[in-house]
Amino acid sequence: MLVLGIETSCDETGVALYDNQRGLLAHALYTQAALHADYGGVVPELASRDHIRRVLPLTREVLDKASRPLADVGAVAYTQGPGLAGALLVGASVAQGLAYALGVPALGIHHLEGHLLSPLMTKPAPEFPFVALLVSGGHSQLMRINGIGNYEVLGETLDDAAGEAFDKTAKLLGLGYPGGPELAALARKGTPGLVKLPRPMLHSKDLDFSFSGLKTAVVMQVKERALDATARANIAAEFQAAIVDVLVAKSLSALEQCGVSHLVVAGGVGANTELRSRLKHAGERGGFNVYFPPAEFCTDNGAMIAFAAALRLRDARGTLQKTDGAFSVKPRWNLASLPRV
Ligand code: KG4
Ligand code: ZN
């Protein structure tokens, strides 16, 4: 079956076509980063309006790339939440409209389920159960994944998400939005350890995180002295090292606590090359396997939504009805409340 997936939860419009026999056929992404750059963060109303402009042309592009007519689509999936209400409504209404016109099922997918199942798109795929480190702009969680829809939260951030900490620190260092990739690029020019930043909750016995103190420590550095380019690069390098130290240590504790040997890393911060290489080395030393989605599928995209829907549909065995066109979005949505497959 062909599944069309539409992602519009924040500032990326993503569309993809997934075939449950042949895998991902095509995907297309439009990022609104430039639209929001002047504001230093996502402006929800601008985001919604831009999704309206992009979603149908991207759908057409994906169908053309895959050389498949719209009529071949057997189900339409969309991000139902969590995310910005107006942005979610765009993807949901377009997906439901297309599904209704085609007389096929429409499936609302949880954005974070999309992220955490995305490493299963590539071979070799991790086996259940695995530990997932989900680190995005809005979430930082360690989870035990027992199966599709069977997710146990082991620990989470008490304040800022890892990506949010990257974004806020990048802003303090005068970098553009989104800050994560820019800060990572600046960190490559600096040396960690010359400036000392804390590793919050590194030795706490639980699997929770806290990143807002780290950002405050950078505020102090920025306030104390005028920073030249080298000093800024050194702070960026130390900041990245601090976050990565904590994420690696807590991931290792989670694997030990669960007695499992597969770690999946998902979400935008999973694109960070320092985090990827540190976890890869830790896995080689510690005898566990680490799985990352390809970098292009770490940040928001339509492929993960189409893929999560294809997994759910595979197990629904034809019980799903064609849509009646009624729908709602869930700007807040607890991952643990999803139905198990
Ligand atoms: O998963 P995502 O695309 O959107 C959310 O669902 O939040 O994650 C976006 C976050 C942003 O905070 C961005 O700065 C961060 O991921 N990010 C990175 C990198 N690429 C994206 N953080 C650190 N290093 C990167 N290379
Ligand atoms: Zn995301």
Side-chain angles (χ1 to χ4, degrees), residues 10-11 32-34 36-42 167 175-179 182:
C10 190
D11 60 346
Q32 303 176 353
H36 303 292
D38 287 349
Y39 306 95
V42 179
D167 293 339
L175 302 172
Y177 169 86
E182 291 212 17

Side-chain angles (χ1 to χ4, degrees), residues 138-158:
H139 295 84
S140 294
Q141 288 180 328
L142 271 163
M143 272 174 291
R144 183 189 161 105
I145 311 299
N146 300 310
I148 295 162
N150 188 342
Y151 311 132
E152 281 170 54
V153 177
L154 304 169
E156 60 194 329
T157 182
L158 304 178

Side-chain angles (χ1 to χ4, degrees), residues 309-324:
L311 290 182
R312 284 192 167 274
L313 284 164
R314 186 186 64 191
D315 291 281
R317 290 191 186 84
T319 54
L320 213 70
Q321 305 289 317
K322 64 182 184 185
T323 184
D324 62 3

Side-chain angles (χ1 to χ4, degrees), residues 12 111-112 115 135-139 163-164 166-167 178-181 184 240 267-269 271-273 298-300:
E12 252 113 25
H111 180 81
L112 298 181
H115 273 305
V135 271
S136 71
H139 295 84
E164 188 179 3
F166 265 96
D167 293 339
Q240 178 173 264
V269 181
N272 186 274
T273 47
C298 279
T299 47
D300 292 349

Side-chain angles (χ1 to χ4, degrees), residues 62-83:
V62 161
L63 291 166
D64 287 350
K65 269 192 204 165
S67 305
R68 298 294 288 266
L70 182 62
D72 282 3
V73 169
V76 187
Y78 58 96
T79 305
Q80 191 174 10

Side-chain angles (χ1 to χ4, degrees), residues 152-210:
E152 281 170 54
V153 177
L154 304 169
E156 60 194 329
T157 182
L158 304 178
D159 40 59
D160 291 353
E164 188 179 3
F166 265 96
D167 293 339
K168 288 179 175 172
T169 302
K171 205 168 178 179
L172 289 170
L173 294 175
L175 302 172
Y177 169 86
E182 291 212 17
L183 193 141
L186 182 61
R188 253 172 254 134
K189 297 182 192 148
T191 310
L194 296 181
V195 177
K196 292 269 184 285
L197 292 175
R199 270 65 177 157
M201 296 181 73
L202 185 63
H203 300 295
S204 69
K205 294 279 174 277
D206 53 30
L207 296 172
D208 289 333
F209 310 98
S210 167

